[in-house]
Amino acid sequence: MTATIFDPISRRTLLGTGAAAAGLATAGSIVPFRLAIGAQAKVRIGILLPYSGTYAMLGNAITDGLKLRLAEAGGKLGGREVEFVIVDSQMSVPKAPQNTQKLIAKEKVDFLVGPVHSGIAAAMAKIVGRAGNPIMIVPNAGSNAVTGPLCAPNIFRTSFSNWQPAYPGGKVMADDGHKTAVTIAWKYGAGIQMMAAGTSSFEKAGGKVVKDIQVPFPSVEFQANLSEIASLKPDAVFAFFSGGGAVKFVKDYAAAGLKEKIPLYGPGFLTEGVSMAQGAAAEGIKTTLHYADNLDNAANKAFRAGYKKMYGKEANVFSVQGYDTGSLLLIAMDAVKGDSGAKKAMIAAMEKAKIASPRGDISFSAAHNVVQDIYLRKVVKGHQNLMGVVAKQLVDPARGCRLT
Ligand code: BEZ
């Protein structure tokens, strides 16, 4: 595998792992029609993920998980060498259309993998869905619209919709006996949609959200918000933050003396991949997500061991999402024996895909969103420990999707 990274300022080779040589056709493999006999181009995967700012950890973990899965498969897709073209999204929604166009028209990628941020996902999906090309796999961003009104035959998601992990979380809070709650999240698609989902199940179960606090993205100035929560005295708080922002919020919440008085809940992004950095402030926090560190299945054990060996650190949900993106790419390219021009056949294979993921068994809905179990977890000594399954094989409602 080789990789090229570029941003508006520089363009340089990022890394080269595995076989980076000429990319000659292997005996018996199918040569895409546009290539001379005997020469086989590398499969080009465009990656648009954050490698700077509050979501940098997420972008890196997704990339690492994807590279691990492809390395396990010999570094090839459908018999062809792989080349990554990597762009730092800088979490910029205004730059997303230009970055997407560049990867499609200039870099001529065969697949597009990204992004992390819901606003960028919607901007990308508008372009990629309308063009019908290339196949795009979303390895994180939960924007409900991407597998809702913006769904398209060539767009798949291996991560979650914002509704999926948040909806069961509101009921968990009510089941714990809480009657009132404050919601707090960054004010953009992900935060707004997750808070709406958690609120709806909490209120259906008899609870009442007394205040919805929206924080400008990606601000980490929480003091005024924490003072407001202290004065409102709700039974519980339901929150969405992730990456660097989640570290700061959970630590500030504890430092403000709220941890012992008003329990924190939320979609698992609040502690995922950052609970070691949050330290004692994260201990005991209960969240809902499509992964737990100690899931007892063979795929998870092998994945976690392989990840630790390759990168010297623990895996998290973001690396699982990258890893499963690799599995879906393998399924697509194996189905067409490396002919990345055979889009229809690849899409048909992806629609039927069933993957024994580290998170448990997954498949894809008619809207091309992942169908998966949602778990209740609790932070114990910095680990996301499984407490139970709160939703089995949960299908996103996919409202507004024409594929359903
Ligand atoms: C999102 O923007 O969709 C998102 C970002 C980080 C974690 C989860 C969702």
Side-chain angles (χ1 to χ4, degrees), residues 69 156 324 327-328 331-332 348-357 360-365 370-371 393:
R69 183 68 189 95
F156 286 77
D324 291 342
S327 292
L328 193 58
I331 287 168
M350 292 166 83
E351 286 175 335
K352 284 199 286 270
K354 292 195 186 318
I355 299 172
S357 162
D361 292 343
I362 61 171
S363 59
F364 295 88
S365 66
V370 62
V371 178
Q393 295 299 293

Side-chain angles (χ1 to χ4, degrees), residues 55 58 116-118 140-143 160 162 188 190 194 240 242 269:
Y55 287 161
L58 287 68
V116 156
H117 183 290
S118 277
N140 186 75
S143 164
F160 56 89
N162 287 327
Y188 80 97
M194 288 188 210
F240 164 72
S242 189
F269 309 109

Side-chain angles (χ1 to χ4, degrees), residues 162-297:
N162 287 327
W163 178 87
Q164 270 179 318
Y167 186 77
K171 179 156 186 318
V172 165
M173 217 160 50
D175 289 349
D176 278 355
H178 303 304
K179 300 275 180 250
T180 60
V182 165
T183 57
I184 178 164
W186 275 318
K187 186 182 179 182
Y188 80 97
I192 292 168
Q193 292 171 2
M194 288 188 210
M195 295 304 100
T199 298
S200 88
S201 61
F202 182 58
E203 297 198 335
K204 250 186 223 165
K208 176 84 195 133
V209 169
V210 294
K211 176 93 195 197
D212 175 37
I213 300 176
Q214 300 186 337
V215 182
F217 177 81
S219 168
V220 291
E221 294 308 319
F222 299 121
Q223 286 315 320
N225 309 131
L226 295 173
S227 302
E228 190 178 8
I229 290 170
S231 69
L232 287 166
K233 295 190 178 58
D235 293 345
V237 165
F238 191 75
F240 164 72
F241 295 101
S242 189
V247 175
K248 177 81 166 33
F249 178 77
V250 167
K251 283 185 144 189
D252 285 2
Y253 196 84
L258 294 174
K259 182 174 190 302
E260 307 311 333
K261 293 189 195 133
I262 309 172
L264 253 185
Y265 293 83
F269 309 109
L270 197 57
T271 53
E272 187 69 27
V274 289
S275 46
M276 288 295 178
Q278 290 164 334
E283 282 299 298
I285 294 181
K286 283 202 239 169
T287 60
T288 46
L289 202 67
H290 45 289
Y291 186 60
D293 293 357
N294 59 343
L295 284 179
D296 189 15
N297 67 64

